[in-house]
Amino acid sequence: MSASIIVLVEHLKGNIPEISYEMLGVARKIADASGGKVYALIAGKGSSALATGLGAADVALVLEDSSADVMNDDVLIEALKQAINEKQATLVLVGCTNISFGIGTRLALRSGMPFINWVKDIKTTEGEMVVTSALFGGKVLSDIVLKDKKGILGILSGVFPPDAGKIAKQPSIEHIAKPEIKSKITFRSLMEPKAGDIDISRMDVLVSVGRGIQSPDNIPLAEELANALGGAVSSSRPVVDQGWLPLTRQVGKSGMNVSPELYLALGISGAPEHYEGMKGAKLVVAINTDPKAPIFDFAHYGAVVDCLEIIELLKEEIQKRKGTQ
Amino acid sequence: MNAYVLIKMAPDPVEELDIANDGKSLNAEFIRFKSGDPDEHSIEQALLLKEKNGGKVTVVALDAPEVDDVLYTALAKGVDRAVKISLDQTQLGSVATAQAFASFFQKEGISSDTLIMPGTQAIDDIEGETGALLAEMLALPYIGVVSGITLTNGGAKAVVVKEFSSGLRGEYEVELPAVLGIQSAEKPPRYVPVAKIRAVMKTAKIETVDLSEPDKAKILEIERMYKPEVAGRAQILEGDVKEIAAKLAEIFAERGII
């Protein structure tokens, strides 16, 4: 059976994020192996122009709509459902992202296809498809067999190569009509991050703190270390949720994408949501008491110690080398 | 406002997650169940809304280990009512869990001021997004990854902030009744002293609701569960803390960072 795959392409402020290319790349691979087709569904203001760059797809299904920068999920789900029916889709790929959150599950109920979240691998054989889902922030993996190779998959960011989805040709464009539905949700505006704080995405050195920092009283210690290194303090989600640092310092899925020369992670476990925001870092050093913390899988150097025990000593060593002490 | 916070208990990933002998599930012996962080934020957000707008907050959970503690803690924080559905959540996938909550709401009734607030997502299930599934089953509007709610139009509508990426957020308006998946509350979850929880345990009551088993416990079966192979990319620095600090400073110097 040849695959017919629909990829939901995201875009925000005129940019298509890497996850969309990552999905197009893996879709292309699966389709080519079975002589199938890839459809890229893109909706909202500016879709027509963006669709021309989706060369990894055979066909771009374009729902141009000047009324909103961000499409209503209710409209997207219905458009996807219609596309599934028309294209006899066997697979639908949506990003495991905030912007596409909740689309896969609801589409699953409406289309009768199963939904698998947190997908980090897809293996196809003649007879079946094995999908690997990463649970507990990647600490446990689960294989699920799709016997008829049909399903809706929520794809994790950063697990498939984006370059495979960037093919320099134009897909054929097929315009689709906006489904007529009555939604009780209205998109009002896009809110930019609050200005005023430092911009962590521009820093060369980040000392990033996670749960392991334990208390807001310890944040100044991290700040002193960051100063010694000529950088700034950033953090993982729980620290911001606790109100210990402002949202502008959060690295990850909802927060900022950073790519410093040095990312020093103190007491951060390294869940996929966090990895997504700091995968561009050139040098990653992780300090964590848990030797099995996922962060050690993508750090260059690591130490299994309590970050609170090393902060002060590290600051002293750095100052010694810089001759400031 | 008639707010319902939905709790889903999940194994605490801080504990050792051991695979059971069947190779398809976690070894129950070592699991410690806790409510997810988003669920805790959902309780806080509901209480903040109540403080501002009045109304009532009910917390609802399926039966699971440690769930009574979570429900009593919510009562101690100021939730008006705690309900436990007598179905074993640990045996149910997300679709069946959502079905159980949907049956609860069919029994309970949904009014024009009902706001259903699950935590946006749990990390223990291959399907996830229980809140989105519930919204679909109840034919209610749904927004997930919510980090702010303001009730407007006398409580008939809500203005909701949803997180996107890179610090960008979207503002939406939604008509009630609705399901909003909470990522984080506008303030950190409040602390409640253990003595207060103990006092509540003596005076308050958790209501129990009996529901029939969902049709199908799980939509998809896990074929194999396993620990990821540690890629071990990190070069682990050995020695005492002082030696490690010196080695790190040396690495930073070699790379021209300091």
Side-chain angles (χ1 to χ4, degrees), chain A residues 10-37:
Chain A
E10 295 179 9
H11 61 104
L12 206 52
K13 296 177 76 176
N15 295 313
I16 294 174
E18 293 291 272
I19 175 67
S20 295
Y21 294 110
E22 291 161 15
M23 292 192 290
L24 285 169
V26 70
R28 185 73 267 158
K29 199 174 142 199
I30 298 168
D32 287 348
S34 69
K37 267 191 170 181

Side-chain angles (χ1 to χ4, degrees), chain A residues 173-228:
Chain A
I173 304 283
E174 196 177 305
H175 286 276
I176 55 175
K178 188 175 172 180
E180 287 187 24
I181 54 146
K182 213 170 154 354
S183 177
K184 289 182 173 163
I185 297 173
T186 319
F187 174 75
R188 300 217 315 191
S189 66
L190 197 60
M191 300 160 76
E192 299 282 342
K194 274 196 193 107
D197 195 18
I198 57 149
D199 183 354
I200 55 168
S201 68
R202 291 171 183 274
M203 300 303 292
D204 283 336
V205 174
L206 287 173
V207 174
S208 211
V209 296
R211 270 186 220 275
I213 200 75
Q214 289 182 22
S215 150
D217 301 339
N218 296 325
I219 302 272
L221 296 176
E223 267 160 5
E224 284 171 27
L225 176 58
N227 285 340

Side-chain angles (χ1 to χ4, degrees), chain A residues 98 101 105 110 117-118 136 139 141 143 184 186 188-189 191 211 237 242 254-255 296 299-300 302, chain B residues 13 37 120-121 123 126 129 136 142 162-164 166 169 171 173 223-224 226 233-235 237:
Chain A
N98 287 347
F101 185 84
T105 31
R110 276 185 223 183
N117 212 354
W118 323 106
F136 300 101
K139 284 192 165 186
L141 301 179
D143 284 353
K184 289 182 173 163
T186 319
R188 300 217 315 191
S189 66
M191 300 160 76
R211 270 186 220 275
R237 163 137 231 151
Q242 286 298 325
S254 296
F296 290 124
H300 302 90
Chain B
D37 286 350
T120 199
Q121 172 146 276
I123 54 170
I126 50 171
E129 304 180 5
E136 186 72 15
Y142 174 80
K162 172 181 162 141
E163 296 183 356
F164 291 147
S166 306
R169 292 169 297 158
E171 190 181 68
E173 185 180 72
E223 198 72 13
R224 184 166 85 97
Y226 52 103
R233 260 190 68 203
Q235 185 186 329
L237 305 174

Side-chain angles (χ1 to χ4, degrees), chain A residues 3 21 94 98 102 113 165 188 198 240 254 284 292 300 309 312 316 324:
Chain A
Y21 294 110
V94 295
N98 287 347
M113 290 164 99
R188 300 217 315 191
I198 57 149
V240 170
S254 296
V284 178
K292 290 178 180 162
H300 302 90
E309 282 176 25
E312 199 74 16
E316 284 165 17
T324 50

Side-chain angles (χ1 to χ4, degrees), chain A residues 1 20 60 69 73 86 99 115 128 148 153 158 162 171 179 193 208 210 219 243-244 276 278 297-298 308 315 321:
Chain A
M1 184 181 66
S20 295
D69 283 355
D73 285 358
E86 273 175 34
I99 201 157
F115 176 68
E128 58 189 26
D148 56 2
L153 309 181
S208 211
I219 302 272
W244 300 349
E276 195 177 328
M278 47 68 71
D297 296 348
F298 49 85
L308 294 175
K315 185 185 81 181
R321 283 194 172 260

Side-chain angles (χ1 to χ4, degrees), chain A residues 12-13 70-74 77 97-106 109-110 114-118 132-147 183-194 205 211 228-229 237-238 241-243 247 250 252-257 261-262 264 273 282-283 285 287 290 292 295-305 309-310 313-314 316-318 320-322, chain B residues 10-17 19 24 26 34 37 41 95 120-130 132-137 139-145 147 159 161-177 183-185 187-189 219-242 244-246 248-255 257-258:
Chain A
L12 206 52
K13 296 177 76 176
V70 177
M71 284 302 289
N72 187 324
D73 285 358
D74 293 333
I77 294 168
T97 60
N98 287 347
I99 201 157
S100 295
F101 185 84
I103 290 177
T105 31
R106 285 180 289 167
L109 287 186
R110 276 185 223 183
F115 176 68
I116 304 174
N117 212 354
W118 323 106
T132 305
S133 166
L135 303 178
F136 300 101
K139 284 192 165 186
V140 172
L141 301 179
S142 292
D143 284 353
I144 299 106
V145 176
L146 295 175
K147 291 212 161 60
S183 177
K184 289 182 173 163
I185 297 173
T186 319
F187 174 75
R188 300 217 315 191
S189 66
L190 197 60
M191 300 160 76
E192 299 282 342
K194 274 196 193 107
V205 174
R211 270 186 220 275
L229 282 163
R237 163 137 231 151
D241 276 353
Q242 286 298 325
L247 188 59
Q250 186 180 321
K253 194 173 184 178
S254 296
M256 307 301 282
N257 289 322
E261 295 298 319
L262 168 64
L264 175 57
E273 290 81 359
K282 316 282 182 303
L283 176 66
V285 176
I287 311 286
D290 178 6
K292 290 178 180 162
I295 192 135
F296 290 124
D297 296 348
F298 49 85
H300 302 90
Y301 293 95
V304 185
V305 294
E309 282 176 25
I310 205 170
L313 289 168
L314 184 54
E316 284 165 17
E317 289 292 336
I318 288 160
K320 225 191 285 176
R321 283 194 172 260
K322 288 169 81 176
Chain B
D12 186 348
V14 171
E15 303 291 317
E16 180 73 14
L17 297 170
I19 310 295
K24 297 180 178 193
L26 291 176
K34 71 184 278 278
D37 286 350
H41 279 269
V95 175
T120 199
Q121 172 146 276
I123 54 170
D124 65 323
D125 190 85
I126 50 171
E127 294 147 327
E129 304 180 5
T130 305
L133 291 164
L134 175 65
E136 186 72 15
M137 290 168 187
L140 292 180
Y142 174 80
I143 300 176
V145 210
S147 61
V159 173
V161 176
K162 172 181 162 141
E163 296 183 356
F164 291 147
S165 61
S166 306
L168 284 169
R169 292 169 297 158
E171 190 181 68
Y172 294 83
E173 185 180 72
V174 56
E175 288 174 37
L176 266 49
Q183 176 72 59
S184 69
K187 283 185 184 166
I219 300 292
L220 290 165
E221 292 295 335
I222 291 172
E223 198 72 13
R224 184 166 85 97
M225 190 180 270
Y226 52 103
K227 295 283 189 72
E229 273 175 40
V230 178
R233 260 190 68 203
Q235 185 186 329
I236 300 293
L237 305 174
E238 308 286 350
D240 64 27
V241 185
K242 195 160 172 22
I244 292 170
L248 282 174
E250 194 183 328
I251 292 164
F252 298 160
E254 275 169 13
R255 300 275 184 133
I257 290 163
I258 52 171

